[in-house]
Amino acid sequence: MTLTELKYIVAVARERHFGRAAEACFVSQPTLSVAIKKLEEELDVKIFERGASEVSVTPLGDQIVRQAQQVIEQAQAIREIAKLGKDPVSGPLRLGVIYTIGPYLLPDLVKNAIATVPQMPLMLQENFTAKLLDMLRTGELDAAIMAEPFPDTGLAVAPLYDEPFMAAVPAGHPFAQRASVTAEELKNETMLLLGTGHCFRDHVLEVCPEYARFASNAEGIRKSFEGSSLETIKYMVASGMGVTVVPQLSVPAEVQAHIRYVPFTAPAPTRRVVLAWRRTFPRYEAIAALRNAIYACPLPGVTRLTA
């Protein structure tokens, strides 16, 4: 068996589809299928059950896939160890960021990284928390910036900052001139939410649990109250369609004509933003350099954490 074949079975297990796995591995579907069939014949086991619409992993195949992930990770670690002897911060760092952090942190972070560690370019990937965790586990990412909580996957985690939430309301709303609002006061408002999959949606529902009813399977209701991104939802707020809750770093520095951002009454709800990486990742100096670049960002209104 080869590392390439192991990468193929990991990709199929992740995507549950041969075509999508082939695209992820940058090969044709026949090439991937032939390689996996060859591996199954060599091992004399069935790794996958081929269905009409989805591929499933057999119980024995699941054990093989897990071991394959470890082998791939160890092979990558060998390459990283070789680099480590030369320069631990030399070479790209593959960094994942969730959608509700990326637009507001990455511009300053990339600028700081270029200034301090130009030999370590950041290869960036924005995605949902669940997908970033999966990519960390399979070695497709070296590190990820996410918001807690997320499932315990045995990753190393370093806290970065605690970020308060703010209410975003139309400029003509009664709350617009208020010094602060409470979560209780938002109960009777039309709340605009991010779509399912965004962890920030769950954070908002923790602040305003009354809106959890909009997470039902009633498509009409859900489409009326959900948006694909924070910026889309802000435009909806500005047009008077409702109110929303946003993280502090997404609040623009300049006053906007049609939207106002109002702090929550203390204690304000917050989210903890962390940096996560595999414990076996050997380039700890690269992780430290990344953390320093993050701490060098302005981060207005947040509480920095260095523990």
Side-chain angles (χ1 to χ4, degrees):
M1 71 185 71
T2 66
L3 277 176
T4 299
E5 291 168 347
L6 298 183
K7 289 177 182 177
Y8 289 168
I9 65 171
V10 169
V12 172
R14 181 180 66 248
E15 300 293 341
R16 305 285 170 158
H17 191 275
F18 277 83
R20 290 194 298 268
E23 289 178 7
C25 295
F26 303 102
V27 297
S28 68
Q29 183 172 336
T31 297
L32 179 136
S33 298
V34 169
I36 290 178
K37 183 173 176 54
K38 174 178 171 291
L39 181 59
E40 288 181 321
E41 290 175 350
E42 178 184 342
L43 298 176
D44 194 25
V45 297
K46 199 170 188 179
I47 300 175
F48 301 108
E49 293 284 358
R50 283 80 164 167
S53 59
E54 187 178 86
V55 175
S56 60
V57 186
T58 65
L60 186 57
D62 184 62
Q63 297 180 48
I64 292 172
V65 169
R66 291 189 186 187
Q67 188 64 39
Q69 290 171 344
Q70 295 181 30
V71 172
I72 292 168
E73 186 173 322
Q74 290 300 318
Q76 181 62 31
I78 291 173
R79 296 187 182 94
E80 298 296 346
I81 290 169
K83 291 180 184 177
L84 195 61
K86 303 172 185 176
D87 184 355
V89 294
S90 176
L93 185 75
R94 298 167 298 176
L95 176 66
V97 188
I98 59 173
Y99 291 114
T100 56
I101 293 177
Y104 318 111
L105 177 64
L106 289 180
D108 288 321
L109 174 57
V110 171
K111 181 175 66 175
N112 291 342
I114 291 173
T116 56
V117 278
Q119 73 277 30
M120 189 184 80
L122 298 179
M123 299 176 64
L124 303 171
Q125 163 80 241
E126 272 191 308
N127 220 310
F128 297 113
T129 299
K131 181 65 174 177
L132 295 181
L133 288 171
D134 192 41
M135 296 177 75
L136 275 175
R137 183 169 52 84
T138 59
E140 295 173 79
L141 289 176
D142 300 320
I145 300 172
M146 300 177 290
E148 291 184 330
F150 48 81
D152 182 8
T153 56
L155 297 170
V157 175
L160 296 174
Y161 55 84
D162 285 340
E163 181 177 21
F165 301 159
M166 297 187 74
V169 303
H173 194 282
F175 292 163
Q177 305 305 318
R178 293 272 298 275
S180 66
V181 296
T182 66
E184 184 71 17
E185 289 175 308
L186 295 181
K187 283 175 57 175
N188 298 320
E189 300 296 320
T190 300
M191 178 67 72
L192 304 175
L193 300 170
L194 282 171
T196 303
H198 289 277
C199 63
F200 191 72
R201 170 194 176 89
D202 300 328
H203 296 156
V204 174
L205 291 177
E206 287 178 10
V207 176
C208 306
E210 295 79 9
Y211 292 98
R213 65 184 182 276
F214 296 131
S216 71
N217 290 326
E219 288 293 331
I221 293 176
R222 192 165 67 215
K223 288 179 180 176
S224 297
F225 291 88
E226 291 187 2
S228 59
S229 73
L230 280 179
E231 295 308 308
T232 299
I233 288 180
K234 287 181 186 179
Y235 282 114
M236 295 167 69
V237 171
S239 68
M241 293 180 65
V243 305
T244 195
V245 175
V246 300
Q248 173 72 46
L249 291 185
S250 75
V251 176
E254 67 281 357
V255 176
Q256 294 183 308
H258 303 295
I259 190 169
R260 297 289 183 270
Y261 298 94
V262 186
F264 278 93
T265 303
T270 63
R271 67 174 177 180
R272 174 155 295 183
V273 175
V274 302
L275 179 64
W277 66 96
R278 295 186 309 283
R279 294 184 184 278
T280 55
F281 184 59
R283 296 171 59 196
Y284 182 76
E285 290 84 351
I287 297 295
L290 176 62
R291 289 182 70 186
N292 290 336
I294 295 169
Y295 289 137
C297 294
L299 304 178
V302 311
T303 301
R304 297 167 188 264
L305 304 169
T306 56

